[in-house]
Structures are given as structure tokens and as C-alpha cells.
Amino acid sequence: MDFRDSPEEAAFRKEIREWLEANIPADWDRSQLSLIPPEDRVDMLRDWQRRLHEGGWAGISWPKEYGGRGATLIEQAIFNQEVARQKAPPPINVIGLGMAGPTIINHGSHEQKNRYLEKILSAEEIWCQGFSEPGAGSDLAGLRSTAILDGDSWIINGQKVWTSLAHVSQWCIFLARTDTTAPKHKGITYFLVDMSSPGIEVRPLRQITGSADFNEMFFTDVRVPRESILGEVNDGWRIAMTTLLHERGTLGFALSVGARVALDELIGLARETKKNGKPAFEDPTIRQRLASLHVEVESLRLNNYRALTGFMKSGMPGPEGSLSKLIWSESMQRLGDLAVEILGPAGMLERWDANPRVNTWQFIHLRSRGHTIEAGTSEILRNIVAERVLGLPKHK
């Protein structure tokens, strides 16, 4: 692959940069890394996504007939790079844009596409993902939520956990078992659930960072219309794989640029912070760890190009996205660990005038513990890489 922009791609990149420079809100603190949780800024981020949509920059690779820009995957990657590079605010509807929308485009009926896609792009309707369950852990197919057909309705019962944005969402992509006698990867159906339906209770989960960007969801006799399914009854596992491939695959470029930005910030921290009377940057062990992180971030960038090449050939994200997510999540943990070590005892302060961003590094360090659990644990991702990228025998 030629990593250089073609003349058309360079013009596209220039257009994005100019638009972002003119439209990023003046009160947005660009010094913050892109990992600050969005929950405290729901209204501002909803307005930001609406502005992106009005400018034609939301879901840019989606079909024009459903409100997208019809851009190429290369252009989508360029857009993600520039948004991360300029530290622009994230869109609020990340699950709608990155998972629910692409899955509806792939498997939805014409009526479902017309009903849901435009409102995902404009953030008029925010989506969450009801996949993980407390009793299933990393084994998604072990889910126990059920849906029973009763006349023209499905009655759903079950519990979900680690659900981002559930407390502000209008819709949920939801997996439930509709045939309890089938093998565990069969008998699952993919639902589109209105979060205002009676019987849904959402409880925020406060984390070690102090923020509550996850939730528990309890579904008790929740009645949804019969047509609220995506695809066919008992075919939900296949459709869920589309969602997960997009979750790990299409966000890869934004993750790699975000990691690059964070690493550059960390190198700056090592230059500015004194350790034993000298800049921390001069400590040979810190230099070695920074160099190792540089290698990891570069391998992440190049793997994303590999994944993009496969996506362009097949039309679907491939298993390489699992490798990118694995590298990113573990690299961000090492990056956060090193930042707190460089800060030393000051890294535990609630406020430090010499480095007003100490709280940002603390947040990155603490939040990164969850990176190797969400969107597939490291153990699950290593199995996927072994079996589907390297072609090794299946794990038993």
C-alpha cells in the first residue's frame, strides 16, 4: 500500500482540516486528551455531532440515500485521523455511528434503514449496546436473556451490564435467546429496543475514575413489537458478529492516532518533569520504555492499514481489527503506568499547579484498566488472532 495521499485524498484532508479549525467549539479544551469520558458533556457533544451531520461529516462512508456522504473507506480513515490529530470532541453517538448504524446498513430492511439511520447521524436518537451479561463474562454466546413471542409482541427478560450511554440512550441493540433448546451460538435473536419501553431499569456503575460511563440494565417483562428484530429470528449470532467486527475494526485509525497523540504528550511530560534532579527523559529505563511504546504505536498504525486493505477488498472488517484493539488497549495501560511513574508522588495529588494536567494522566492510568476488558478481553482477542489471523487450531 502507498501510504502517501493521492492528490484527491490530500485535497480531502485539507477540506476536513479547514472545516474542523472553523467549527471546533471555542470552549473545547484541546489540551485534553480524547479519552475524557463524554458523560459529563452530553448536551455539548450532542450539539457537536449535530454540527458534524449538518456539515456532512457524520457517517461519511454511509450511503448518501441514508444521510451519509458516500465517501470511500480511505476517506473515512483520513477523517478519523484528522479528528484525532486536531483533538476534536468525539461524537456523542459512538455506538450508533460505529456499531448499530453499520449493522442496520448490512442487515436491516429498507424500512428500518429509513427509520433509524438519519436520526443516528444527527444524534437525535442515541444508541447503546445490550450484549454483555453478568453471568456470561467474555463468553457472549453464554447470554441468558430471553425473548418469548406473545401475539404481536416479544416479551424480554434479562440483565445486561457494562452498557455505555444506556442512561442517555433512546435505543438499544439487544441480544436475547429465543430458542433455549438450540446450541448456544444458535437460538439468539438481534433486537432493536426502544429504551422508553416499560420494564427497563438503568443503574449507573461508578468506576475507579469517579465517573459513571457504564450502566447495568434490567429488563422485566419488556414488551416490544414483533417487527423489532434485525434479520431473522434465531440468526442473531451472525448479525452480532457484524457489530463486533465494526466495533474493533472501523475505529482503528482513530485509536492509533489517539495513541500517537497520547505518546507525544507523554514524551513532553518526560522532558518537563525532573527525576533525581534531571529531566525524566534522561533516565535510561524511561527512554527504553518510551521507545518500546513508539514501536507499539507504529505497529498499531501499520496493522490498521493492513486491516483497511482487507476491508476494501471484502466489504467487511476482518479479524485484524482484534489485533489492533489488543495492541491499543495494552499499550495504553503501559502508557498510563509510565505517566504516573514519571509524575512520582505528585501523580497522587488532586491538584498540582506545576502540572495542571495531572488529573488527565491519572484518568488515563485508571481508565485504561478497563480497556483490556471492554470490546473483547485480551484473552478473547488472542484466541481470535490465533485462530482467524494465524490459522491455528481452535481453542477447546
Side-chain angles (χ1 to χ4, degrees), residues 259-273 275 279-299 331-343 361:
R260 179 76 257 172
V261 171
L263 178 56
D264 289 344
E265 298 266 358
L266 179 62
I267 292 171
L269 179 70
R271 289 183 190 278
E272 299 163 0
T273 306
K275 185 178 175 66
F281 191 74
E282 295 183 14
D283 184 309
T285 60
I286 289 178
R287 292 170 68 90
Q288 187 174 39
R289 290 167 71 181
L290 288 171
S292 296
L293 283 168
H294 172 73
V295 172
E296 292 173 22
V297 171
E298 282 300 293
S299 67
S331 295
M332 290 304 295
Q333 286 188 349
R334 285 188 278 273
L335 189 149
D337 292 348
L338 181 55
V340 173
E341 284 185 40
I342 290 173
L343 288 167
W361 291 115

Side-chain angles (χ1 to χ4, degrees), residues 77-209:
I78 291 172
F79 175 77
N80 290 341
Q81 288 175 339
E82 291 305 314
V83 165
R85 186 170 286 118
Q86 296 206 34
K87 302 177 186 177
I92 183 67
N93 206 4
V94 291
I95 293 170
L97 291 169
M99 289 178 266
T103 307
I104 292 171
I105 289 172
N106 274 281
H107 299 285
S109 65
H110 182 66
E111 290 74 20
Q112 288 173 323
K113 294 173 186 177
N114 278 329
R115 164 63 186 83
Y116 298 115
L117 295 178
E118 181 79 27
K119 293 185 178 181
I120 289 176
L121 294 175
S122 65
E124 182 178 344
E125 294 177 342
I126 296 175
W127 287 67
C128 61
Q129 178 191 22
F131 280 21
S132 297
E133 295 193 2
S138 297
D139 181 14
L140 177 59
L143 65 88
R144 292 185 292 183
S145 292
T146 59
I148 299 173
L149 189 60
D150 179 31
D152 290 333
S153 303
W154 292 94
I155 299 176
I156 299 177
N157 282 282
Q159 180 185 354
K160 302 290 180 177
V161 71
W162 307 121
T163 311
S164 303
L165 297 172
H167 58 305
V168 295
S169 291
Q170 285 72 50
W171 288 89
C172 178
I173 47 176
F174 190 97
L175 295 180
R177 193 164 294 286
T178 43
D179 183 352
T180 57
T181 64
K184 70 176 188 178
H185 291 86
K186 308 288 183 183
I188 296 172
T189 298
Y190 197 114
F191 289 86
L192 309 177
V193 177
D194 183 344
M195 288 293 286
S196 66
S197 304
I200 299 177
E201 180 185 0
V202 177
R203 299 178 187 170
L205 291 171
R206 192 158 299 281
Q207 302 152 237
I208 193 173
T209 59

